């Protein structure tokens, strides 16, 4: 395939940035989206041009680093998929593809498609630690936990902290991310001891970082590559009020 790319290029945080046009030639439908960008960057390097900067690590949909907006949709057109797992068979020969970074005040652009998501790290740090010592894995697995609670905790824990929820929200709200991190601990006995203090500190840190408020548009759930439910936001609000 041959694709026409419109890519956001920005040297650093101070640079105004702009969209730049590129041609992606000889692209196989079996390539991932990041592999397509690798091909484009190889051509740019051969020409002596600065390659497109983008973040990535595992390329297995686990780390959440491959954060970019593709044709206006965080992580691209395929539901429940990270950018690194998006394959070029989702596009057609001759398509024009717009590629941009996350857009949020709390996620400043570092370069091109890379944003600084350390705000998420500071929110998690604000939550503190779990003080309960359950011993080794056999001891921890021996704790009686209702299956419903265990399943919900696991659903919440699948959050990879990519920030797609923030990028999709018109208010740049981080409520889905914070609710997942609060819920997966609050649902388990190990996390109950500090749960009231944890939710207060994490919500306070979220507000301090400049994320917007939730207005129940559900765009966060639609964009989440792990399809985390907005029901966890309800749980977060309940935990916060009861704290």
């Amino acid at each position: 395939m041959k694709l026409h790319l419109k890519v956001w290029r920005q040297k650093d945080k101070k640079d105004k940035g702009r969209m730049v046009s590129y041609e992606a030639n000889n692209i196989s439908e079996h390539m991932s989206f990041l592999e397509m960008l690798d091909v484009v960057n190889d051509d740019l390097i051969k020409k002596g041009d600065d390659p497109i900067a983008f973040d990535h690590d595992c390329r297995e949909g686990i780390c959440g680093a491959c954060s970019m907006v593709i044709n206006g949709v965080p992580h691209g057109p395929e539901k429940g998929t990270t950018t690194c797992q998006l394959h070029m068979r989702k596009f057609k020969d001759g398509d024009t593809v717009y590629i941009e970074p996350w857009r949020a005040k709390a996620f400043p652009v570092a370069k091109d498609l890379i944003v600084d998501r350390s705000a998420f790290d500071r929110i998690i740090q604000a939550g503190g630690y779990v003080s309960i010592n359950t011993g080794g894995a056999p001891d921890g697995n021996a704790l009686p936990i209702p299956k419903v609670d265990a399943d919900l905790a696991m659903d919440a824990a699948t959050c990879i902290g990519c920030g797609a929820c923030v990028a999709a929200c018109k208010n740049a709200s981080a409520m889905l991310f914070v609710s997942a991190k609060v819920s997966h601990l609050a649902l388990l006995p190990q996390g109950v001891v500090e749960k009231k203090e944890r939710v207060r500190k994490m919500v306070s840190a979220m507000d301090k970082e400049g994320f917007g408020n939730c207005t129940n548009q559900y765009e966060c759930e639609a964009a989440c590559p792990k399809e985390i439910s907005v029901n966890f936001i309800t749980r977060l609000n309940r935990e916060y009020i009861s704290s």
Side-chain angles (χ1 to χ4, degrees):
M1 294 186 292
K2 180 178 181 179
L3 300 170
H4 309 289
L5 305 183
K6 305 287 186 180
V7 184
W8 183 260
R9 301 303 307 266
Q10 185 173 337
K11 292 181 180 179
D12 51 40
K13 293 181 180 180
K14 297 181 180 179
D15 184 32
K16 186 176 180 180
R18 69 197 189 283
M19 298 295 286
V20 179
S21 298
Y22 297 101
E23 299 295 324
N25 300 306
N26 300 317
I27 301 301
S28 168
E29 65 175 5
H30 302 299
M31 287 181 179
S32 71
F33 198 87
L34 297 189
E35 288 170 337
M36 180 274 293
L37 288 178
D38 289 337
V39 171
V40 173
N41 277 343
D42 283 344
D43 290 339
L44 291 175
I45 292 170
K46 289 175 182 177
K47 295 175 183 176
D49 295 333
D50 189 28
I52 301 165
F54 61 94
D55 213 349
H56 64 93
D57 190 5
C58 70
R59 298 201 180 204
E60 295 178 347
I62 298 172
C63 69
C66 57
S67 49
M68 59 185 75
V69 177
I70 303 166
N71 287 343
V73 181
H75 289 301
E78 188 170 6
K79 187 174 175 60
T81 304
T82 53
T83 300
C84 62
Q85 292 183 306
L86 176 66
H87 286 83
M88 299 313 297
R89 51 182 168 268
K90 290 293 178 179
F91 302 89
K92 301 188 297 294
D93 183 38
D95 276 356
T96 298
V97 183
Y98 290 83
I99 311 172
E100 303 173 76
W102 287 168
R103 300 291 188 183
K105 179 182 178 181
F107 290 160
V109 176
K111 183 177 181 180
D112 296 343
L113 304 176
I114 300 175
V115 299
D116 181 356
R117 295 176 299 158
S118 58
F120 272 7
D121 296 330
R122 290 188 288 272
I123 292 173
I124 292 176
Q125 289 167 2
Y129 60 92
V130 173
S131 63
I132 301 300
N133 184 4
T134 60
D139 302 315
N141 290 334
L143 287 175
I145 301 171
K147 188 176 188 305
V148 172
D149 291 344
D151 288 346
L152 281 173
M154 183 60 72
D155 290 343
T158 58
C159 172
I160 57 177
C162 66
C165 51
V166 176
C169 178
K170 67 178 183 179
N171 305 320
S173 173
M175 285 287 279
L176 190 65
F177 164 76
V178 176
S179 68
K181 297 304 177 183
V182 165
S183 296
H184 91 262
L185 291 174
L187 282 161
L188 299 175
Q190 298 95 322
V192 168
V193 177
E194 290 93 8
K195 75 172 187 175
K196 291 186 177 182
E197 182 181 7
R198 182 184 300 114
V199 69
R200 287 196 300 267
K201 287 183 175 180
M202 292 185 76
V203 170
S204 176
M206 175 181 66
D207 293 339
K208 183 179 179 181
E209 293 293 342
F211 292 103
N213 295 318
C214 175
T215 49
N216 298 313
Q217 298 285 304
Y218 299 166
E219 292 292 337
C220 54
E221 181 183 287
C224 178
K226 299 304 176 182
E227 301 182 289
I228 293 173
S229 172
V230 292
N231 289 336
F232 287 115
I233 296 179
T234 304
R235 183 175 293 277
L236 168 66
N237 288 331
R238 187 163 59 245
E239 295 286 348
Y240 186 75
I241 292 171
S242 64
S243 69

